[in-house]
Amino acid sequence: MKDIIESFQLGPQWPTFDPFLFCAHHLDSYPPGNADLGPQASLHGRQLGSDFDNLDGWRMYHGLTVPGFPQHPHRGFETVTYVRQGLIDHTDSIGSSARFGRGDSQWLTAGSGIVHAEMFPLTEPDRANPLELFQIWLNLPASNKMVDPYFTMLWGGDTPEYRHHDEADKSTMVTVIAGQLGSALAPSPPPDSWAATASADVAIWHLVFDPQAEWTLPPASHNTTLRTIYVFNGSSLAIG
């Protein structure tokens, strides 16, 4: 419970609705890495094992040598991790492992229970190692709460993009991580996810607007669909 509370303290608490439980945004300006893939910087003054203070613009989180989140359990929901910058090393109790980042996404169905680790290796010894990621916790349908755990990688090269140009030729670019937008159809989600049920109308999109760009969101598939926009970068956004 302490870990969950600390995660919420990293930034603003974005309200969500079932099946979306919450979304965490991690942004760390890590320095060059050392031979152990940790920071080439003194760790003096940090509360190692629980470093969430953002000293010098970055955190070790629960890592002692490499930043990140060593082994910890999940059950009854899913994590969708979308990485914009940096890398994540994933290992888990069902034998899956991957190094991913820079546009990749990972979808993990915890189901009946899984233990996994998410570490942030600092692979560049001669330059900074910035890390930016979003992690969405997605509820599972009641009937699928205790399904077998499932690991899925959605590689950046296989993740479709949708681009729109408005009347002033300003561009809106949408990365379709889940769901469909026009002809851009995201890779298949895990089989027991809400996102695998078409009637649930689950979508996860990353939007990037040119300054002053305009875009009209297409109608949802159902009149009960709820949409939320999380604005994390830029000076303003006007919504009609």
Side-chain angles (χ1 to χ4, degrees):
M1 179 62 71
K2 179 182 177 183
D3 295 350
I4 295 175
I5 292 173
E6 287 176 332
S7 294
F8 276 122
Q9 292 173 343
L10 295 180
Q13 297 184 24
W14 289 341
T16 58
F17 43 83
D18 194 24
F20 293 98
L21 300 177
F22 78 87
C23 176
H25 179 213
H26 295 268
L27 179 60
D28 289 278
S29 300
Y30 288 115
N34 59 28
D36 297 319
L37 303 180
Q40 281 187 42
S42 172
L43 300 180
H44 178 74
R46 295 179 180 271
Q47 186 176 339
L48 290 181
S50 186
D51 175 27
F52 289 80
D53 291 336
N54 201 29
L55 182 65
D56 298 327
W58 50 276
R59 312 163 183 88
M60 290 295 290
Y61 298 103
H62 296 306
L64 301 179
T65 302
V66 177
F69 296 86
Q71 290 189 349
H72 58 282
H74 289 308
R75 191 183 195 194
F77 64 97
E78 300 180 291
T79 61
V80 183
T81 306
Y82 170 57
V83 187
R84 299 185 73 216
Q85 300 182 79
L87 296 170
I88 297 179
D89 280 343
H90 166 95
T91 57
D92 61 42
S93 55
I94 62 173
S96 306
S97 63
R99 173 170 288 180
F100 66 99
R102 302 167 185 166
D104 301 325
S105 301
Q106 178 214 77
W107 203 311
L108 183 69
T109 303
S112 59
I114 194 169
V115 175
H116 76 150
E118 303 158 292
M119 307 306 293
F120 310 144
L122 308 184
T123 58
E124 301 292 344
D126 302 320
R127 59 182 179 179
N129 288 269
L131 175 76
E132 184 177 18
L133 68 91
F134 290 89
Q135 187 171 89
I136 293 172
W137 288 21
L138 187 67
N139 204 4
L140 282 168
S143 60
N144 293 348
K145 281 284 187 177
M146 293 295 109
V147 297
D148 290 338
Y150 193 92
F151 171 89
T152 307
M153 280 304 313
L154 308 178
W155 300 108
D158 299 324
T159 304
E161 295 179 345
Y162 170 93
R163 188 175 295 274
H164 170 78
H165 292 270
D166 61 23
E167 293 181 355
D169 202 32
K170 302 289 187 179
S171 173
T172 299
M173 197 274 282
V174 185
T175 301
V176 183
I177 300 165
Q180 183 171 2
L181 181 58
S183 62
L185 176 63
S188 298
D192 297 302
S193 173
W194 272 118
T197 302
S199 60
D201 202 20
V202 172
I204 302 173
W205 300 340
H206 171 217
L207 292 78
V208 178
F209 296 91
D210 282 348
Q212 308 301 316
E214 296 184 3
W215 179 51
T216 300
L217 216 62
S221 300
H222 310 285
N223 58 13
T224 57
T225 296
L226 299 174
R227 283 170 164 165
T228 297
I229 296 177
Y230 299 120
V231 182
F232 65 96
N233 192 16
S235 59
S236 65
L237 178 69
I239 302 175

